[in-house]
Amino acid sequence: MKKRYILILVFGFIFTFTLSMKAAFKEEKNVSLMMTDVSRLMPVKIDKIVKGKEIESFKQAINEAKASNKKIAIAGKQHSQGGHTYYKDAIVLDMTSYNEILEFDKKKKTITVQSGATWDDIQRFVNPHGLAVKVMQSQNIFTIGGSMSVNVHGRDIRHGSLIESINSFRLLKADGEIVNVSRTENAELFPLVIGGYGLFGVILDAEISLTDDELYVMKSESLDYKKYADYFKQKVKGNKKVKMHLARLSTAPDTFLKEMYVTNYELAGEQGARTEYDELSEEKLVPLMKFAFGLSRNYDWGKNAFWNAQKSYFVSDEDTYITRNNVMRSASKFLEYEDDKNTDILQEYFIPVDMFPDYVDSLRETLTEEELNLFNITIRYVEKNEDAVLSYSRDDMFAFVLLINQGLSEEEIYKTRSVIQKMIDVTLAYNGTYYLPYQPYPTKKQMETAYPKVNEFFELKSKYDKEEIFMNYFYEEYGGDE
């Protein structure tokens, strides 16, 4: 009797445990089918994720999508913030495990990598050879394919946007064909895929042009924002020793869009001295930086304190030596942020250099009348380059990179969208453009004004992908019918 009771308990436990595990597995499976990007503003249910290491797995996914009338979306690190890397009920190709370095030519200064490799992977490989990347984002955590898809730019003032340093790539098209793409081979695809947001096919691998890993002296100084355009043209762009540059504009209430400081990276003489500083840096003080950014995100006094601390830390008479590779390994972990009620988003506006002071005044006037939690602005420079069909640098431009905290509710999304549309109107009034990897807040009219070739872009999308196999929310918002 006792044995039978024990057996009943045991079998009951096993049965209950099995059911609970099935439920947990089912719940985990459902959770895994929900996808969003780093902004967390557009979560949707997808069909499945294909995380392949072989080209054949991507081909099979495309064939499956065709057979089942589904869509393909392509994802890297998913830091594009407007649904560019996924789509409802789509098969999502996660490229991050497709990340091998395929070829390296030290003499020609080129490297060929699979599209899921990151800039960090490349830096770790080429740094011992005294080489470095020409163009990438300020952080090195992103995939090569993702960076090509948004045609990134960074701190380098001599090499412009990424399209300039891509020699060639292989593309898996919607019909299953793999083609080589360069400025001379399948040339029409070259300016469509780079800055094409994954709408023309799967970038498989790319040959990238490298440069020397130089040693720089980093110098920072405070500057009157009204003098910045002339300062930049004469002391930065006009000084061949300055290779990289950035500026920061105050978002603190006490000095809002009035104070700024600049940082120049100037060639430091003999190249041999590089070996004293060539160890790749790793992120430090992440908890402290997260805390400081949190104060700036949540309190006006925190914004004031953080801005004053930044100036005190960076603006000094001391020379700091740093290699090119380490300039391009900026901290990123302290920017990671999750909260149940709000999130951080990016905006980026490009303004012709000579328009800088007037634009800042107009932007300040607009934002003073609005409620927007803007807590960081970085200024970069992008040289004119219209190679990409969706080029954002129709002139020599200053790029305003804005970090904004907004709520997750529909009401907060509406409020933020309204303010951003006003900022874009100001930007367009100064012959500026805006960057496309972010929330679909701009109107179609604003998109067409900022990007005159957008209709050509979407027409060629139809030419190369008639069935619209490759899909994302950027295309649905701006490429579809009214």
Side-chain angles (χ1 to χ4, degrees), residues 1-12:
M1 188 74 175
K2 188 181 271 189
K3 286 183 179 180
R4 184 183 298 175
Y5 179 69
I6 292 172
L7 283 173
I8 290 171
L9 286 176
V10 169
F11 280 117

Coordinates of all heavy atoms in Angstrom, one line a residue, residues 1-12:
M1 N 0.8 -1.2 0.0 CA 0.0 0.0 0.0 C 0.9 1.3 0.0 O 0.7 2.2 -0.8 CB -0.9 0.0 1.2 CG -1.9 1.1 1.2 SD -3.2 0.8 0.0 CE -4.3 2.2 0.3
K2 N 1.9 1.2 0.9 CA 2.8 2.3 1.0 C 3.6 2.5 -0.3 O 3.8 3.6 -0.8 CB 3.7 2.1 2.2 CG 4.6 3.4 2.5 CD 5.5 3.1 3.7 CE 4.9 3.5 5.0 NZ 5.8 3.4 6.1
K3 N 4.0 1.3 -0.9 CA 4.8 1.4 -2.1 C 3.9 2.0 -3.3 O 4.4 2.7 -4.1 CB 5.3 0.0 -2.5 CG 6.4 -0.5 -1.7 CD 6.9 -1.9 -2.2 CE 8.1 -2.4 -1.3 NZ 8.5 -3.7 -1.8
R4 N 2.6 1.5 -3.3 CA 1.8 2.0 -4.3 C 1.6 3.5 -4.2 O 1.5 4.2 -5.2 CB 0.4 1.3 -4.2 CG -0.6 1.6 -5.4 CD -1.9 1.0 -5.2 NE -1.7 -0.5 -5.2 CZ -2.7 -1.3 -5.0 NH1 -3.9 -0.9 -4.7 NH2 -2.5 -2.6 -5.1
Y5 N 1.4 4.0 -3.0 CA 1.2 5.4 -2.7 C 2.5 6.2 -3.2 O 2.3 7.2 -3.8 CB 1.0 5.6 -1.2 CG 0.8 7.1 -0.9 CD1 -0.4 7.7 -1.3 CD2 1.7 7.8 -0.1 CE1 -0.6 9.1 -0.9 CE2 1.6 9.1 0.2 CZ 0.4 9.7 -0.2 OH 0.2 11.1 0.1
I6 N 3.6 5.6 -2.9 CA 4.9 6.3 -3.3 C 5.0 6.3 -4.8 O 5.4 7.4 -5.4 CB 6.1 5.6 -2.7 CG1 6.1 5.8 -1.1 CG2 7.4 6.1 -3.3 CD1 7.2 4.9 -0.4
L7 N 4.6 5.2 -5.5 CA 4.7 5.1 -6.9 C 3.7 6.2 -7.6 O 4.1 6.8 -8.5 CB 4.3 3.7 -7.4 CG 5.4 2.7 -7.3 CD1 4.9 1.3 -7.6 CD2 6.6 3.0 -8.2
I8 N 2.5 6.3 -7.0 CA 1.5 7.3 -7.5 C 2.1 8.7 -7.3 O 2.0 9.5 -8.3 CB 0.2 7.1 -6.7 CG1 -0.5 5.8 -7.1 CG2 -0.7 8.3 -7.0 CD1 -1.7 5.5 -6.2
L9 N 2.8 8.9 -6.2 CA 3.4 10.3 -6.0 C 4.5 10.5 -7.0 O 4.6 11.6 -7.6 CB 3.9 10.4 -4.6 CG 2.9 10.6 -3.4 CD1 3.6 10.6 -2.1 CD2 2.2 11.9 -3.6
V10 N 5.3 9.5 -7.2 CA 6.4 9.6 -8.2 C 5.9 9.9 -9.6 O 6.4 10.8 -10.2 CB 7.3 8.4 -8.1 CG1 8.3 8.4 -9.3 CG2 8.1 8.3 -6.8
F11 N 4.9 9.0 -10.0 CA 4.4 9.2 -11.4 C 3.7 10.5 -11.5 O 3.7 11.2 -12.5 CB 3.5 8.0 -11.7 CG 4.2 6.8 -12.2 CD1 4.1 5.6 -11.4 CD2 5.0 6.8 -13.3 CE1 4.8 4.5 -11.8 CE2 5.7 5.7 -13.7 CZ 5.6 4.5 -12.9
G12 N 3.0 10.9 -10.4 CA 2.3 12.2 -10.4 C 3.3 13.3 -10.5 O 3.0 14.3 -11.3

